Amino acid sequence: FRKKKKEQTKSQQEEAREGLSKKGMSFREMKFLGVDDMDTHLFEEVMGISVSGKKEIVENRRSSLALSDGNSSELVTDLDDEDKYPYNIPFESKFRPDEMRCLALLAHNNMKPAMKNFVLSHREVLRKFRLTGTFTTMTMLKTIFGDDPEMMYGPTCQSGPLGGDAEICTLMCLEDLGGMIFFVDPLSAHPHQADIDSLFRLANVYNIIAAPNPTSAHSLCFVLKTSLEEGRKDKIPSFFHTLQSPGVNLYKKEQKREAERNTFKKPLLKTRISFKEQMEKKSK
């Protein structure tokens, strides 16, 4: 019975996939909406939306974007482009890249393929920022973006073990880093682990936007896109202002009290020495 039911489910999904393909949906659209997944039904389980509902979502998105853009034919072409859909839809940013601080893209060796896929999936958002990173990542970025005249890059840093993470820390301290996307490999040892720890510690000290894995980076891109489209500095404040952790003020107060205690003790020591010197002079 289970085998028969599973075969029926697969045939239904295949029919749905063929039907949506005939309707003009690209493979990437179907994959994004979960139609091509023959083993799980996560989209239906989480969203409670049927196959017909998925199709309606895409059609509504096409209609709304076409109406807002005013040129539906060009927009549909963009949506049908498998390299651009569903996230790489062109948009206008209210801020120029040089009006914002850098966005750092970093990835450990085993995570570099994931970083490349991430950049390809969200390049329309990422190209609105001044991107910085280590040499390997920057080379990959320049390969993807090519000769894009609107693309602006930040500094190219050394490889992580050679001080690249420390250079990113320097950008933070110089108030030229607004966010960091770092695909950390949690299953490998790193010779520069101290630098990695320092990088994340300073990211918390300066309270910048930081995404330590692909899922958080994926979610962050939607916030970045909305902020740029709407001109909302308050949604991504670390790209425009120097921030700090709430613990910094308390730390500074403690350091000030300690400095005052040390300053109070020094005159007493000088007084005793001068008194001793005076007694020696009198005895002579």
Side-chain angles (χ1 to χ4, degrees):
F1 175 76
R2 290 181 179 175
K3 185 177 180 181
K4 185 177 180 180
K5 187 176 181 180
K6 189 174 182 180
E7 289 176 355
Q8 289 177 349
T9 303
K10 283 188 176 181
S11 63
Q12 289 173 357
Q13 287 187 334
E14 287 172 356
E15 289 175 5
R17 182 173 176 176
E18 290 176 3
L20 293 176
S21 180
K22 291 177 182 178
K23 293 289 185 180
M25 288 184 67
S26 67
F27 175 74
R28 185 168 295 230
E29 285 178 318
M30 291 188 285
K31 185 175 181 180
F32 173 62
L33 296 177
V35 177
D36 72 315
D37 193 343
M38 299 299 180
D39 299 319
T40 61
H41 309 277
L42 291 178
F43 193 87
E44 287 92 341
E45 291 174 2
V46 175
M47 302 297 294
I49 299 175
S50 62
V51 172
S52 59
K54 296 175 186 179
K55 175 179 173 293
E56 187 178 352
I57 290 174
V58 175
E59 294 303 328
N60 288 340
R61 184 174 184 184
R62 285 175 182 269
S63 301
S64 62
L65 289 171
L67 289 173
S68 62
D69 185 79
N71 193 340
S72 59
S73 60
E74 290 185 6
L75 190 60
V76 171
T77 302
D78 286 337
L79 285 171
D80 285 335
D81 186 348
E82 293 203 0
D83 288 331
K84 290 185 176 181
Y85 187 82
Y87 308 121
N88 284 318
I89 299 174
F91 69 97
E92 292 295 326
S93 172
K94 296 292 180 66
F95 308 111
R96 299 192 313 273
D98 57 355
E99 293 178 327
M100 299 181 288
R101 301 182 182 188
C102 290
L103 173 63
L105 300 182
L106 306 163
H108 288 142
N109 289 339
N110 292 342
M111 304 296 287
K112 290 190 187 299
M115 175 59 76
K116 183 177 181 180
N117 290 334
F118 167 74
V119 173
L120 288 170
S121 298
H122 295 281
R123 62 181 181 273
E124 278 299 322
V125 176
L126 297 175
R127 67 192 289 269
K128 307 296 184 183
F129 292 87
R130 281 189 301 135
L131 300 179
T132 184
T134 57
F135 178 79
T136 308
T137 304
M138 293 295 283
T139 303
M140 178 265 290
L141 291 175
K142 291 174 182 177
T143 302
I144 292 175
F145 292 108
D147 298 327
D148 187 345
E150 297 181 3
M151 191 65 198
M152 295 181 65
Y153 296 100
T156 298
C157 303
Q158 293 282 351
S159 174
L162 299 180
D165 295 325
E167 290 183 75
I168 299 296
C169 289
T170 303
L171 284 179
M172 236 183 291
C173 296
L174 293 175
E175 302 179 356
D176 195 29
L177 191 73
M180 175 180 70
I181 295 174
F182 195 161
F183 286 7
V184 179
D185 180 6
L187 302 178
S188 300
H190 309 289
H192 59 303
Q193 186 62 49
D195 293 346
I196 298 170
D197 295 340
S198 175
L199 180 59
F200 278 102
R201 189 186 71 81
L202 286 177
N204 289 327
V205 169
Y206 288 99
N207 202 15
I208 70 165
I209 297 171
N213 56 58
T215 300
S216 56
H218 171 74
S219 301
L220 172 61
C221 282
F222 296 102
V223 177
L224 297 177
K225 182 176 183 292
T226 303
S227 304
L228 297 182
E229 280 186 310
E230 298 177 357
R232 294 287 299 274
K233 292 184 179 181
D234 58 313
K235 288 187 176 182
I236 49 173
S238 58
F239 282 95
F240 301 94
H241 307 287
T242 300
L243 308 176
Q244 60 185 19
S245 167
V248 171
N249 286 333
L250 180 60
Y251 171 79
K252 287 182 176 180
K253 288 179 181 178
E254 292 176 350
Q255 290 296 302
K256 185 178 180 180
R257 284 197 296 267
E258 185 65 25
E260 289 174 351
R261 282 196 293 267
N262 292 334
T263 303
F264 180 70
K265 291 177 181 178
K266 287 180 181 178
L268 292 177
L269 183 61
K270 288 183 179 179
T271 304
R272 290 174 185 172
I273 292 173
S274 62
F275 178 75
K276 183 178 179 181
E277 289 175 351
Q278 288 178 6
M279 294 299 291
E280 288 178 355
K281 287 181 181 180
K282 285 182 179 180
S283 61
K284 289 179 181 179

